[in-house]
Amino acid sequence: MYSEKVMDHFTNPRNVGEIPDADGVGVEGNPVCGDIMKLWIKVEDGRIVDARFKTFGCGAAIATSSMITEMVKGKTIEEALQITNTAVAEALDGLPPVKMHCSNLAADALRKAIDDYLAKQKGAESSNG
Amino acid sequence: MNRIYLDHAATTPMRPEVLEAMLPYLREQYGNPSSIYTEGREARKALDRARDRIAKVLGASSPREIIFTSGGSEADNLAIKGAAFALKNKGNHIITSAIEHHAVYDTCRYLEKHGFKVTLVPVDSYGIVDPAAVEAALTPETILVSIMHANNEIGTIQPIAEISKILRERGILFHTDAVQTVGHIPVDVDELGVDMLSLSAHKFYGPKGVGALYVRKGIRLHPLIHGGGQEQNRRAGTENVAGIVGMAEALVLAAGEMGEEAPRQRELRDRLIQGILARIPHTRLNGHPEKRLPGNVSVCFEYIEGEALLLNLDMQGIAASSGSACTSGSLEPSHVLLALGLPHEIAHGSLRLTLGRGTTAAEIDAVLEVLPGIVEKLRQMSPLYDANAGCKAH
């Protein structure tokens, strides 16, 4: 039921773990559905230089988490904000229809991590000024 | 790689003896049992003999009490819809449990849309139905009670004989879905005191697509399938002769070896349960430790999700099952696990391993060898798991 790419990312997930001094952290999920994703990003000069994740969830949830960490590395914040859940699914050669809703949270988690980063930036600017 | 099949509650491999018994009816003995000429009479004879053998194993008083169906789901549907529609002038209330198989559960839900009222009796944390709770749920409108003999996910065996005593006194019809027990533990319709009982051949090493409903003499049922007069006008359609012959053969063989096979599986089951609980922390056994099917192991691993676990086991050559939402294509985890009182996130981490007559001690040990590593790998990936504290991080 899963594509080869999904199975590859599920079997050998990229960038599992935490970034202790992360610039942004985002959590997205639904305990009822059984998928919770936590994403850490490191940002330098407006560019995402590192991304790591931890995910509680099914094969699709783990694969989408892994895929998005690959997709965002090297992207500017503006570029990263353009990534959609659909784009992540497409990069994995598609997901089974039932998985599109509950297990495809990676872009939402990324957005929350970026929001967290931007909020911290704003906080830093106002305390500096 | 040698595969290790531990999903016998889902289906079992057909026994070679069963296939041998079926082959003549798939080849030269192709007659229709309803035909009056020689070929038809031969098929009729095979059908009658199969019905007789099945009736004897179940302790039915007459082979006429056995109605052949396409499987367990049809048997459940025929029992519940058939009885409800036949008795609708007597009352409109049906009682069932919170942990029934979907073939019963969804059938009752369907009847709710057609004017029937359904009460779901809860279960305790082991998944056992309290007979007193069934008694308390009775109303003057109650026409039918359906409680499964043993649960397909957690293996809990219900006190059917105790429940039937209560219902018999009041003359209320009692159906049990015995799909998981027939061929595995003793099932006698008189000892259980049930009026209707469902079974399915492929759960006891018979073919798929064939099952039966035991219906005690004198009980009226509306048929689901109208057409020819087969099965005493209760189930139209040319009989699946080969399948029915195979089912009878499989049942007689299973009943014959049950005395040795059930204790053997129980020992392997307990070795697997104890091994898992000893090796993997934050794990709980679902269902009752003793009142459970000989081959059923059901556990929940905290902080991980069942489908991810199944995919990893499959890559290690092990076939298993889960009550996780993600394996069933729905959002909610299994209603059975939720009925035990498990929170959603724990119910998502369930694993069911069901043993069979081919299961060996070496296979159990092989599972115990690889399972802890898989669980640990997924936990290391889980944001809910704090490896150092060994407890919930959120």
Side-chain angles (χ1 to χ4, degrees), chain A:
Chain A
M1 74 177 205
Y2 286 134
S3 71
E4 273 178 38
K5 261 195 186 159
V6 171
M7 286 310 289
D8 174 36
H9 276 264
F10 169 71
T11 316
N12 307 296
R14 281 61 147 178
N15 309 306
V16 177
E18 306 181 9
I19 301 177
D21 57 343
D23 297 306
V25 185
V27 184
E28 182 64 47
N30 181 340
V32 175
C33 289
D35 290 303
I36 299 165
M37 180 187 180
K38 195 167 180 181
L39 188 74
W40 288 261
I41 53 170
K42 189 88 193 138
V43 185
E44 277 170 23
D45 303 327
R47 223 171 255 282
I48 297 174
V49 293
D50 198 8
R52 305 247 176 110
F53 80 94
K54 278 194 170 183
T55 290
F56 165 85
C58 63
I62 290 170
T64 50
S65 307
S66 167
M67 177 50 89
I68 204 160
T69 59
E70 293 270 271
M71 289 168 80
V72 294
K73 278 196 205 177
K75 286 210 163 52
T76 64
I77 292 296
E78 290 70 30
E79 286 165 347
L81 282 169
Q82 304 299 312
I83 299 173
T84 60
N85 286 332
T86 313
V88 178
E90 278 167 9
L92 287 165
D93 293 339
L95 287 173
V98 293
K99 302 289 185 183
M100 286 302 286
H101 169 66
C102 70
S103 309
N104 195 4
L105 309 163
D108 301 329
L110 173 65
R111 190 161 302 245
K112 286 198 171 170
I114 292 173
D115 285 347
D116 180 50
Y117 161 73
L118 293 174
K120 278 181 186 159
Q121 287 290 100
K122 218 174 168 188
E125 271 169 30
S126 54
S127 61
N128 287 343

